[in-house]
Amino acid sequence: MTRVTVWTEYRQERNDPAVAAVYPDGIHTIIAEGLRDADFDVRTATLDEPDHGLTDDVLAETDVLTWWGHVAHGEVDDVVVERVHSRVLDGMGLIVLHSGHHSKIFKRLMGTTCDLNWRESGDRERLWVVDPAHPIAESLGEGFTLDAEEMYGEHFDVPAPDRLVLISWFSGGEVFRSGCCYERGRGRIFYFRPGHETHPSYRHPGVRRVIANAVAWAAGPKGNAPERRDRPEAPEMESSGD
Amino acid sequence: MTRVTVWTEYRQERNDPAVAAVYPDGIHTIIAEGLRDADFDVRTATLDEPDHGLTDDVLAETDVLTWWGHVAHGEVDDVVVERVHSRVLDGMGLIVLHSGHHSKIFKRLMGTTCDLNWRESGDRERLWVVDPAHPIAESLGEGFTLDAEEMYGEHFDVPAPDRLVLISWFSGGEVFRSGCCYERGRGRIFYFRPGHETHPSYRHPGVRRVIANAVAWAAGPKGNAPERRDRPEAPEMESSGD
Amino acid sequence: MTRVTVWTEYRQERNDPAVAAVYPDGIHTIIAEGLRDADFDVRTATLDEPDHGLTDDVLAETDVLTWWGHVAHGEVDDVVVERVHSRVLDGMGLIVLHSGHHSKIFKRLMGTTCDLNWRESGDRERLWVVDPAHPIAESLGEGFTLDAEEMYGEHFDVPAPDRLVLISWFSGGEVFRSGCCYERGRGRIFYFRPGHETHPSYRHPGVRRVIANAVAWAAGPKGNAPERRDRPEAPEMESSGD
Amino acid sequence: MTRVTVWTEYRQERNDPAVAAVYPDGIHTIIAEGLRDADFDVRTATLDEPDHGLTDDVLAETDVLTWWGHVAHGEVDDVVVERVHSRVLDGMGLIVLHSGHHSKIFKRLMGTTCDLNWRESGDRERLWVVDPAHPIAESLGEGFTLDAEEMYGEHFDVPAPDRLVLISWFSGGEVFRSGCCYERGRGRIFYFRPGHETHPSYRHPGVRRVIANAVAWAAGPKGNAPERRDRPEAPEMESSGD
């Protein structure tokens, strides 16, 4: 069974009544609930736990990590960022959610600023599937609509995604590459746009479906860990059917 | 259980003693044997059967089709080519093997000449994994070696693959993009280089592993079939968790 | 100086008063005017000329071909389609405009249906730049707006573009991958969405800029034509600085 | 005229007689010579200069930076790395040469380890063109041969290149993705494999041609710098032909 660790800052839910009204037990609780409903083995971790809840042991037992942060990216310890980075390159999946676009770990993996345009306006958002054969698009049909969300607009300063699965339309006039797949090292990374803290998007069935599909995709079969070293001779590679 | 149809010309095995010595019951028999060992539900079809064995009914019951042809590409009926083409765009996987690079169906899907350089020389071939996180690379380690094969050399006139999984090294001095993934419509396509009719490559455990991995990948979850038509209004897309 | 051939059907402008009102001398005249203003060497060709105006001689003297068709795709001779196809693979650029998505030549090169959703509604269209470093995006800033256009909506059944430069937003609620780059053989192909025959989009400065940028990009430096043949020995490739 | 800054460590040429014998005036001198012959405006900079020769002023006047390092990657000041990183995202081209694969700036941009296999063996290397339409392949024909080089073998731990132009064959049995294009922010990056310090590869006409072609490509037209900020309203984008 795929083991998922759901990580969030869990700050605004405790400090900001507007956020607490939407997610009284924290965003992580609701994301975790959706993933348990999809039959994953789920634990949570948050910023203010020791090691942010992301010890070597926790990461070793995590197949896919989901990441939501917003106001406290700078408080994430660089040691933990490097630990997560190493695990991703070694094969752990990573699902970066909404304002996690500015997290240290996402910028570390992308190599770019990950900047974008935004508007806290309650725009209507329509997410369109542009790669219907992709596993993350399974059961989404043409896409789905969120009645009110923060707007994120292009240009989104990320590498061109290895696969682009979703594009968002906003009622105010913008578009955004909302579902972006990357492979780095042996790890799979998915950026998924929705999820502002004042909107109940993580309770929406379409959003939940995307996250569950993404976790299944990111936990998919991995190749072997390649050796990379001085090679006095080329390896024999005589057979490898097993 | 994934249903595979293994298609070959089955001509040289009956006409050419050098080929019959290697594949007395046809190349398709040996490819099918390898896939049955990998627990797929396998049937075979060959050129000289009615409809080349590829009726609408057979294709409707096929999740992944493997294709090997060489000397009789021109004899494949255009009606069957269009039938296979439609099924691939609708989600059937297609594994194109070796000299199938010049088949009508592969050229139809690629839109290019699919030409390449070649040498029937018994070169030593080493196949290197360049995308170790890809499901098709699973259990291959760094790659594997074939003691004698026909050489295929660049430039290979195909679209840049959506994912490049394997590169071949030949003892005579050439390289080749040997494992190329494409997505077209809702279908997944994999081109895999080895398999000249005078060499027993389809009995090799590494080759068998690649074909089995590719079948599993190409049969992977599909999104929904999108509608494409006049839309007097944008669709509602109210929710889609199911 | 880059030599461009502007091809259109030139039918609706002669038969349909609503189209003639917008393009009295034909769509090709206005596209050609825009390209001459950008200092290209431009000729035009249309469906009802002998060989549709696309003889071997014309194509041999064409660096980039632009293609607009709509109601008469089926009347384009397959011989001419194959002629254009060969020239593209040999290095001629091709700019496919609007309803040219259903032309024989575009479907031939893509290998897919190229189907999409549409609505003749006069939607407002906003074209957003998502790859600001691409030569086709030069001088476009964030993008531009067309006050009224036909809507084209996803899913657009094409291979994932090699580079995606523009995404359209429509006031009715849809999005579309509006500027798609492909490389096939030695040729560069750009699909560009706007240009319904009842709207004056080919007079719009943003649309003109994209087409001019695309022509310059598609006419860019080409590598050498590779040989692809039986190679009894690997080539020497001793040096190649010139 | 495109302005190039050629950067190297310039350490082994002063400390190691075997290297000094090949590059008595430093590797940078020979790379710069090749680029001046190709009509670029070239300056050089090296590790032991103040700010490693890479001040804000120098970078502001640099269209393309070439980077060769090997034994002293750790001595490159993080401040300079961030300065170069910002300039690349803002549009400066970057050509990373040979052992520069382990430079801080390349790893910063790629987000991966950039590890690989190697052998200092004097292998024969054949570089094959696999994207003959790419500007970097111009005038290379099928490729070229280096009589003796260090071997670099797969798996090379980088993101899948946006365009793969060259693949190397080594006499010892390995292959390597030797010419890899990336776009990050508004900048273009090219990794090019050859150039071990004990081999005269930077005097070879094929190597010189690739570097000159890559500089021309990386200095290509740039789009506008996008704004990314809070947008109380979507921008008007009324026209943009200029």
Side-chain angles (χ1 to χ4, degrees), chain C residues 124 126-128 131-135 137-145 147 162-163 183 185-188 204-206 209 221-224 226-228 231 234-242, chain D residues 124 126-128 131-135 137-145 147 162-163 183 185-188 204-206 209 221-224 226-228 231 234-242:
Chain C
R124 192 163 183 240
R126 301 169 67 91
L127 293 103
W128 289 91
D131 188 354
H134 198 282
E138 196 180 357
S139 299
L140 294 181
E142 297 192 304
F144 56 92
T145 305
D147 289 335
D162 293 331
R163 301 302 289 177
E183 297 189 16
R186 301 169 66 218
R188 289 175 164 188
H204 185 279
R209 182 80 202 201
K222 306 295 176 197
N224 301 74
E227 289 181 278
R228 302 185 191 93
R231 295 289 181 108
E236 280 301 313
M237 308 199 302
E238 283 308 334
S239 110
S240 63
D242 310 309
Chain D
R124 192 162 183 240
R126 299 169 66 92
L127 293 102
W128 289 91
D131 188 354
H134 198 282
E138 196 180 357
S139 299
L140 294 180
E142 298 193 304
F144 56 92
T145 305
D147 290 335
D162 293 331
R163 301 301 288 177
E183 297 188 16
R186 302 169 65 217
R188 290 175 163 189
H204 185 278
R209 183 78 203 202
K222 307 295 177 197
N224 300 74
E227 288 181 278
R228 302 185 191 93
R231 295 289 181 109
E236 280 301 314
M237 309 199 303
E238 282 310 334
S239 112
S240 62
D242 311 307

Side-chain angles (χ1 to χ4, degrees), chain A residues 126 131-133 135 138-142 144-145 162-163 183 188 205 209 221 223-224 231 235-237 240-242, chain B residues 126 128 131-132 135 138-142 144-145 162-163 183 188 205 209 221 223-224 231 235-237 240-242:
Chain A
R126 300 170 67 90
D131 188 355
E138 196 180 356
S139 298
L140 294 181
E142 298 192 305
F144 55 91
T145 305
D162 293 330
R163 301 302 289 177
E183 298 188 17
R188 290 176 163 187
R209 183 78 202 202
N224 301 76
R231 295 288 181 111
E236 281 300 314
M237 309 200 302
S240 62
D242 311 308
Chain B
R126 299 169 66 91
W128 289 91
D131 187 354
E138 195 180 357
S139 298
L140 294 181
E142 298 192 304
F144 56 92
T145 304
D162 294 330
R163 302 300 290 176
E183 298 188 17
R188 290 175 163 189
R209 182 79 202 201
N224 300 74
R231 295 288 181 109
E236 281 300 314
M237 309 199 301
S240 62
D242 312 307

Side-chain angles (χ1 to χ4, degrees), chain D:
Chain D
M1 186 186 271
T2 298
R3 302 161 300 175
V4 187
T5 299
V6 172
W7 191 92
T8 65
E9 280 177 9
Y10 193 33
R11 286 276 179 87
Q12 293 170 285
E13 302 97 318
R14 293 182 288 160
N15 301 335
D16 181 341
V19 179
V22 181
Y23 294 110
D25 300 314
I27 290 172
H28 55 288
T29 305
I30 298 304
I31 295 174
E33 177 191 277
L35 288 168
R36 286 194 188 101
D37 287 353
D39 287 329
F40 294 106
D41 176 12
V42 184
R43 73 167 92 193
T44 64
T46 55
L47 180 64
D48 292 324
E49 297 174 42
D51 271 16
H52 313 319
L54 298 174
T55 61
D56 281 326
D57 284 353
V58 167
L59 291 177
E61 294 169 359
T62 299
D63 298 311
V64 182
L65 175 66
T66 73
W67 193 278
W68 191 101
H70 184 200
V71 297
H73 294 309
E75 293 180 46
V76 177
D77 191 326
D78 289 343
V79 172
V80 174
V81 173
E82 289 307 303
R83 192 183 292 160
V84 173
H85 184 249
S86 291
R87 272 290 289 140
V88 171
L89 296 186
D90 192 43
M92 182 180 71
L94 179 69
I95 315 298
V96 177
L97 297 167
H98 189 62
S99 42
H101 74 91
H102 260 173
S103 63
K104 288 181 178 180
I105 182 61
F106 190 55
K107 293 193 290 185
R108 176 82 172 82
L109 282 159
M110 296 293 104
T112 56
T113 67
C114 304
D115 287 343
L116 46 76
N117 291 297
W118 74 93
R119 177 173 58 241
E120 294 189 33
S121 53
D123 270 60
R124 192 162 183 240
E125 176 177 11
R126 299 169 66 92
L127 293 102
W128 289 91
V129 170
V130 296
D131 188 354
H134 198 282
I136 294 179
E138 196 180 357
S139 299
L140 294 180
E142 298 193 304
F144 56 92
T145 305
L146 302 174
D147 290 335
E149 254 289 354
E150 184 182 9
M151 184 284 293
Y152 276 11
E154 297 282 346
H155 178 248
F156 184 20
D157 185 28
V158 287
D162 293 331
R163 301 301 288 177
L164 175 63
V165 180
L166 296 162
I167 296 176
S168 284
W169 173 101
F170 290 95
S171 48
E174 284 90 351
V175 297
F176 195 75
R177 289 170 291 171
S178 275
C180 298
C181 298
Y182 297 94
E183 297 188 16
R184 292 296 184 267
R186 302 169 65 217
R188 290 175 163 189
I189 302 154
F190 184 64
Y191 175 80
F192 183 43
R193 199 214 74 82
H196 192 59
E197 63 271 10
T198 60
H199 300 295
S201 298
Y202 294 119
R203 302 179 191 277
H204 185 278
V207 170
R208 286 192 167 193
R209 183 78 203 202
V210 170
I211 296 174
N213 286 349
V215 165
W217 170 79
K222 307 295 177 197
N224 300 74
E227 288 181 278
R228 302 185 191 93
R229 57 180 170 80
D230 190 3
R231 295 289 181 109
E233 295 184 17
E236 280 301 314
M237 309 199 303
E238 282 310 334
S239 112
S240 62
D242 311 307

Side-chain angles (χ1 to χ4, degrees), chain B residues 92-237:
Chain B
M92 182 181 72
L94 179 69
I95 314 299
V96 177
L97 296 168
H98 189 61
S99 42
H101 74 92
H102 259 173
S103 63
K104 289 181 177 179
I105 182 61
F106 190 55
K107 293 194 288 186
R108 177 81 172 83
L109 283 159
M110 296 294 104
T112 56
T113 67
C114 304
D115 287 344
L116 45 77
N117 290 297
W118 73 94
R119 177 173 57 240
E120 295 190 32
S121 54
D123 271 60
R124 192 164 183 238
E125 178 177 11
R126 299 169 66 91
L127 292 102
W128 289 91
V129 170
V130 296
D131 187 354
H134 198 283
I136 294 179
E138 195 180 357
S139 298
L140 294 181
E142 298 192 304
F144 56 92
T145 304
L146 302 173
D147 289 335
E149 253 290 353
E150 184 181 10
M151 184 283 294
Y152 276 11
E154 295 283 346
H155 177 249
F156 184 20
D157 185 28
V158 285
D162 294 330
R163 302 300 290 176
L164 176 62
V165 181
L166 296 162
I167 296 176
S168 283
W169 173 101
F170 291 95
S171 49
E174 285 89 351
V175 298
F176 195 75
R177 289 170 290 170
S178 274
C180 298
C181 299
Y182 297 95
E183 298 188 17
R184 293 295 184 267
R186 302 168 66 218
R188 290 175 163 189
I189 302 153
F190 185 64
Y191 176 80
F192 183 43
R193 199 214 74 82
H196 192 60
E197 63 272 9
T198 60
H199 299 295
S201 298
Y202 294 120
R203 302 179 190 276
H204 185 278
V207 170
R208 287 192 165 192
R209 182 79 202 201
V210 170
I211 296 174
N213 286 348
V215 165
W217 170 80
K222 306 295 176 198
N224 300 74
E227 288 181 279
R228 302 185 191 92
R229 56 180 169 80
D230 190 4
R231 295 288 181 109
E233 295 183 17
E236 281 300 314
M237 309 199 301

Side-chain angles (χ1 to χ4, degrees), chain C:
Chain C
M1 186 186 270
T2 298
R3 302 161 300 174
V4 187
T5 299
V6 171
W7 191 91
T8 65
E9 280 177 8
Y10 193 33
R11 286 276 178 87
Q12 292 169 284
E13 302 96 318
R14 293 183 289 162
N15 301 335
D16 181 340
V19 179
V22 181
Y23 294 110
D25 300 314
I27 290 172
H28 55 288
T29 305
I30 298 304
I31 295 174
E33 176 190 277
L35 288 168
R36 287 193 188 103
D37 286 352
D39 286 330
F40 293 105
D41 177 11
V42 184
R43 73 167 92 194
T44 63
T46 55
L47 180 64
D48 292 324
E49 297 174 42
D51 271 16
H52 314 318
L54 298 174
T55 61
D56 281 326
D57 285 352
V58 167
L59 291 177
E61 295 169 357
T62 299
D63 298 310
V64 181
L65 175 66
T66 73
W67 193 279
W68 191 100
H70 184 201
V71 296
H73 294 309
E75 293 180 46
V76 178
D77 191 326
D78 289 343
V79 171
V80 174
V81 173
E82 289 307 302
R83 192 183 291 159
V84 173
H85 184 248
S86 291
R87 272 290 290 139
V88 170
L89 297 186
D90 193 43
M92 182 180 72
L94 179 69
I95 315 298
V96 177
L97 296 168
H98 189 62
S99 42
H101 74 91
H102 260 174
S103 63
K104 288 181 177 180
I105 181 61
F106 190 56
K107 293 193 289 185
R108 177 82 172 83
L109 282 159
M110 295 294 104
T112 56
T113 66
C114 304
D115 288 343
L116 46 75
N117 291 298
W118 74 95
R119 176 174 58 242
E120 295 191 32
S121 53
D123 271 59
R124 192 163 183 240
E125 176 177 12
R126 301 169 67 91
L127 293 103
W128 289 91
V129 171
V130 296
D131 188 354
H134 198 282
I136 294 179
E138 196 180 357
S139 299
L140 294 181
E142 297 192 304
F144 56 92
T145 305
L146 301 174
D147 289 335
E149 254 290 353
E150 183 181 9
M151 184 282 293
Y152 276 12
E154 296 283 347
H155 177 248
F156 184 21
D157 185 28
V158 286
D162 293 331
R163 301 302 289 177
L164 175 63
V165 181
L166 296 162
I167 296 176
S168 284
W169 173 102
F170 290 95
S171 49
E174 285 90 352
V175 297
F176 195 75
R177 288 170 292 171
S178 274
C180 298
C181 298
Y182 297 94
E183 297 189 16
R184 292 297 183 267
R186 301 169 66 218
R188 289 175 164 188
I189 302 154
F190 185 64
Y191 175 79
F192 183 43
R193 198 213 75 81
H196 192 59
E197 63 272 9
T198 60
H199 300 295
S201 297
Y202 294 119
R203 302 180 191 275
H204 185 279
V207 170
R208 287 192 166 193
R209 182 80 202 201
V210 170
I211 297 173
N213 286 349
V215 165
W217 170 80
K222 306 295 176 197
N224 301 74
E227 289 181 278
R228 302 185 191 93
R229 57 180 170 79
D230 190 3
R231 295 289 181 108
E233 295 183 18
E236 280 301 313
M237 308 199 302
E238 283 308 334
S239 110
S240 63
D242 310 309

